[in-house]
Amino acid sequence: MILETLIGVTFVAALATFLTPDEHAERVAFVLSLLPVVGSLYAWYAFDGTGNALLDGGSLAFATQIDWLTVGGYTLQWFVGLDGISLPLVVLSTVLTSLAILSAWTPIDVRQSQFYGLMLFMEANLIGVFTALDFFVWFVFWEAVLVPMYFLIGVWGGPRRKYAAIKFFVYTNVASLAMFIGFMALVFNLPVDSFGLPAIAGALRAGELGGFLGLTPGTLAAVAFAAMFFGFAVKVPVAPFHTWLPDAHVEAPTPASVMLAGVLLKMGTYALLRFNFTMMPDVAAQFAVPIAILAVVSVIYGAMLALAQQDLKRIVAYSSVSSMGYVILGLVAYTELGVGGATFQMVAHGLISGLMFMAVGVIYNVTHTRMLGDMAGMADRMPVTAGIFVAGAFGYMGLPLMAGFAAEFFIFQGSFTSTVLPAAPLFTATAMFGIVIVAGYLLWAMQRTLFGEFSLETDYEVTRAQFHDTAPLAALLLFTIALGVAPETFFDMITDAVVPMLGGGA
C-alpha cells in the first residue's frame, strides 16, 4: 500500500497546509513536503519490478488492483503500480516540489497557506498520473493537476496572469477532450470489460480492435491515434501547439514555472509513451515521418524563438519546447536507446529546467527585472547564483558528465540507428543542429546579464541572494551532475521497462 500511502499523505499535507496560518505556512509546507520525498526514495530503494506496467502486469512494483464499480458493462478499478518508466518521474515530482516550495519563501508573501496548499495538492495528483493504471482513475488525476496550476498562475502571477491562466486552462482542456474521445473510441470497440490500461494495451497490440461507423479497424486506429497524439502534444507542448506555454511561464510565479516545466510538461510525453507508442506501435510506425518532422521542427523552432527573446524567462520557456522535441524524436525512433533516452531526458530536463527557472527567479527577486538589456555584471554582485546559472546553462547545452548530455547521447544514438523511422540519420543530424542554437542563445544571455560592468539602474542595493534561495539551486545542480556521472541510477530500470514494448508491434 505504499503508493496509496504516498498519495494520501500528500493530500493530507495539502489540507494541513491550507489550514495553517500564513505566517507559518512556508515552513510547515516544506517540512510536510519532505514526507513524499522520503516515500518516493523508499520506493526507489525497494523497487523490484521488471518489465513494462502495460505489458507485463505481473512484474509491477507496489501494485494494488481493487474493483470499484461497474458502469455499462465496464469495471472501474483502483489500479496503481510502478515500473521503471514511472518511478523516476514520481521521484522527480516529489523532489522538485520540495525544492520549489523552498524557493517560494522570498517571492510569495500573500495568501501563503493557499499557495503552498495548492502546490502540495498538485503534487499529489502528479503522483497519481504517474502511478494510475486504470484509465478513469488516471484521467481524474490528469485533469485535477490543471486546477491548482490555473490558480497558481491566475492569483499569484504577473500583470497578465488572468489571460495566461485562462489560455493555459482552455488549451489543455480542449486537448484533453480530443484525447478522451480518441481513447474511448478505441475502448468501445475492443473486447475488454474494464478500463485497465494493461488489458487495453494487450487487446490493441493483439489486433483485436473492431470497426466503427463504417470505419475499418485500421482507419479507426489511425484516427484515434491522431486524436490522442494531438491531446498529448498540446500538453508537451510540440510546435505548433506550444503558444500557451510562454504566456503561462512568463506570468506564473517562479515555483509554479518550476513545476510546469519540470513535471507538468512530462505528463504529455509520459502519456505519449504509454498510450500512443506502447499501445499502438504499428500506427506509430505509420506516422513516424510526420511525428519526426514535428519533433525536429520543435527542436529548431523552439531554439530559434529563444534566440529572439529579451526576457530571460521567455528564453528558458522556449528552450523547453526545443528540449521536448528531443523526447519526441527518441520516442518515434522506437529503439531501446531512443525510447530509454527519451524517458531519461524527461528526468534530466525536469532537473535542469527547474534549476534555470529558479535561477531566473532569484535574479528577478533581487533586480526586479528579467530583461537582458536592463542588467549586466550580475556575477560580481551575485557570484553564487551566477555560477550555478552558468553551470545549469552548460547542462542545457549538453556538457559531458551532466544529465542533459547523457539523455541527448542516448536519444541521438537510438534515433540514428532506428529501423522504424525512414531517413533516421537525416532527422537525427538536423535535430543535433539544435544544440548549436541552444549554445548560441544561452551564451548570449549569460554574456548580457552576468558579465561585463554592472549597469542596473536601481534605487536599492543588489546583493547576494539568501541561503534559502540558493540552496535549491545547488541541490538541483548536484542532482544533475549525479545523474550525468551515473545515469544507470535510473537508466537501467528505464530500459527494463522499455525492452518489452519493443518486442512486438512496430
Side-chain angles (χ1 to χ4, degrees), residues 375-443:
M375 51 183 163
M378 297 302 299
D380 291 336
R381 304 297 178 95
M382 306 176 69
V384 175
T385 302
I388 297 176
F389 184 88
V390 170
F394 279 112
Y396 239 131
M397 297 178 208
L399 185 72
L401 299 183
M402 300 186 79
F405 171 81
E408 291 172 0
F409 177 79
F410 294 145
I411 290 172
F412 292 148
Q413 187 174 357
S415 63
F416 190 86
T417 58
S418 173
T419 57
V420 173
L421 178 62
L426 177 61
F427 284 113
T428 305
T430 306
M432 291 177 69
F433 181 70
I435 298 177
V436 178
I437 308 175
V438 169
Y441 67 70
L442 287 177
L443 291 172

Side-chain angles (χ1 to χ4, degrees), residues 186-409:
L186 294 176
V187 173
F188 291 151
N189 292 279
L190 287 171
V192 294
D193 58 2
S194 77
F195 290 98
L197 298 183
I200 295 169
L204 283 170
R205 290 174 70 102
E208 298 176 0
L209 182 66
F212 179 67
L213 294 178
L215 298 177
T216 64
T219 303
L220 175 60
V223 172
F225 182 97
M228 291 192 296
F229 185 90
F230 167 76
F232 299 138
V234 171
K235 180 78 75 174
V236 171
V238 175
F241 312 120
H242 67 285
T243 55
W244 63 268
L245 183 66
D247 292 315
H249 269 311
V250 168
E251 300 305 323
T254 296
S257 288
V258 169
M259 295 304 296
L260 180 58
V263 188
L264 265 70
L265 302 189
K266 312 312 178 292
M267 291 168 56
T269 50
Y270 172 80
L272 280 172
L273 171 56
R274 288 296 201 203
F275 288 79
N276 290 71
F277 290 94
T278 299
M279 294 185 180
M280 309 175 73
D282 292 323
V283 184
Q286 295 173 17
F287 286 100
V289 170
I291 292 174
I293 291 173
L294 284 177
V296 172
V297 168
S298 293
V299 169
I300 303 299
Y301 185 62
M304 293 297 292
L305 286 175
L307 188 62
Q309 304 305 310
Q310 295 292 322
D311 186 320
L312 265 178
K313 209 173 185 184
R314 278 189 175 270
I315 291 174
V316 181
Y318 278 117
S319 68
S320 291
V321 177
S322 182
S323 295
M324 290 298 96
Y326 290 124
V327 176
I328 304 301
L329 181 63
L331 293 179
V332 77
Y334 215 72
T335 60
E336 181 179 337
L337 283 175
V339 179
T343 307
F344 192 85
Q345 170 74 339
M346 297 181 206
V347 180
H349 178 264
L351 296 173
I352 299 173
S353 64
L355 188 159
M356 295 293 285
F357 274 112
M358 282 187 191
V360 172
V362 171
I363 293 173
Y364 178 77
N365 293 339
V366 174
T367 64
H368 300 284
T369 182
R370 297 190 303 260
M371 304 307 293
L372 300 183
D374 292 344
M375 51 183 163
M378 297 302 299
D380 291 336
R381 304 297 178 95
M382 306 176 69
V384 175
T385 302
I388 297 176
F389 184 88
V390 170
F394 279 112
Y396 239 131
M397 297 178 208
L399 185 72
L401 299 183
M402 300 186 79
F405 171 81
E408 291 172 0
F409 177 79

Side-chain angles (χ1 to χ4, degrees), residues 46-326:
F47 179 76
D48 62 353
T50 57
N52 189 287
L54 269 60
L55 304 178
D56 189 9
S59 66
L60 276 176
F62 317 115
T64 304
Q65 188 172 3
I66 302 173
D67 289 349
W68 179 16
L69 55 91
T70 301
V71 178
Y74 291 89
T75 300
L76 277 63
Q77 302 170 319
W78 172 259
F79 189 7
V80 294
L82 286 176
D83 66 0
I85 291 173
S86 52
L87 178 56
L89 295 171
V90 170
V91 175
L92 173 68
S93 300
T94 59
V95 170
L96 208 55
T97 300
S98 289
L99 296 177
I101 287 174
L102 186 58
S103 74
W105 284 15
T106 295
I108 304 302
D109 54 7
V110 295
R111 304 170 73 171
Q112 291 99 321
S113 62
Q114 297 173 31
F115 179 89
Y116 295 114
L118 287 171
M119 289 284 288
L120 289 167
F121 179 73
M122 180 168 61
E123 178 187 14
N125 287 292
L126 285 168
I127 296 171
V129 167
F130 297 131
T131 58
L133 294 171
D134 178 272
F135 176 74
F136 268 95
V137 174
W138 176 87
F139 190 72
V140 168
F141 284 127
W142 173 273
E143 288 296 285
V145 169
L146 304 180
V147 177
M149 183 55 70
Y150 170 81
F151 285 110
L152 289 170
I153 298 173
V155 177
W156 289 273
R160 300 176 70 244
R161 57 185 179 272
K162 293 182 179 179
Y163 166 78
I166 292 173
K167 188 174 183 180
F168 160 78
F169 200 77
V170 169
Y171 269 59
T172 51
N173 264 286
V174 170
S176 293
L177 177 61
M179 175 272 294
F180 184 86
I181 293 173
F183 187 77
M184 296 309 291
L186 294 176
V187 173
F188 291 151
N189 292 279
L190 287 171
V192 294
D193 58 2
S194 77
F195 290 98
L197 298 183
I200 295 169
L204 283 170
R205 290 174 70 102
E208 298 176 0
L209 182 66
F212 179 67
L213 294 178
L215 298 177
T216 64
T219 303
L220 175 60
V223 172
F225 182 97
M228 291 192 296
F229 185 90
F230 167 76
F232 299 138
V234 171
K235 180 78 75 174
V236 171
V238 175
F241 312 120
H242 67 285
T243 55
W244 63 268
L245 183 66
D247 292 315
H249 269 311
V250 168
E251 300 305 323
T254 296
S257 288
V258 169
M259 295 304 296
L260 180 58
V263 188
L264 265 70
L265 302 189
K266 312 312 178 292
M267 291 168 56
T269 50
Y270 172 80
L272 280 172
L273 171 56
R274 288 296 201 203
F275 288 79
N276 290 71
F277 290 94
T278 299
M279 294 185 180
M280 309 175 73
D282 292 323
V283 184
Q286 295 173 17
F287 286 100
V289 170
I291 292 174
I293 291 173
L294 284 177
V296 172
V297 168
S298 293
V299 169
I300 303 299
Y301 185 62
M304 293 297 292
L305 286 175
L307 188 62
Q309 304 305 310
Q310 295 292 322
D311 186 320
L312 265 178
K313 209 173 185 184
R314 278 189 175 270
I315 291 174
V316 181
Y318 278 117
S319 68
S320 291
V321 177
S322 182
S323 295
M324 290 298 96
Y326 290 124

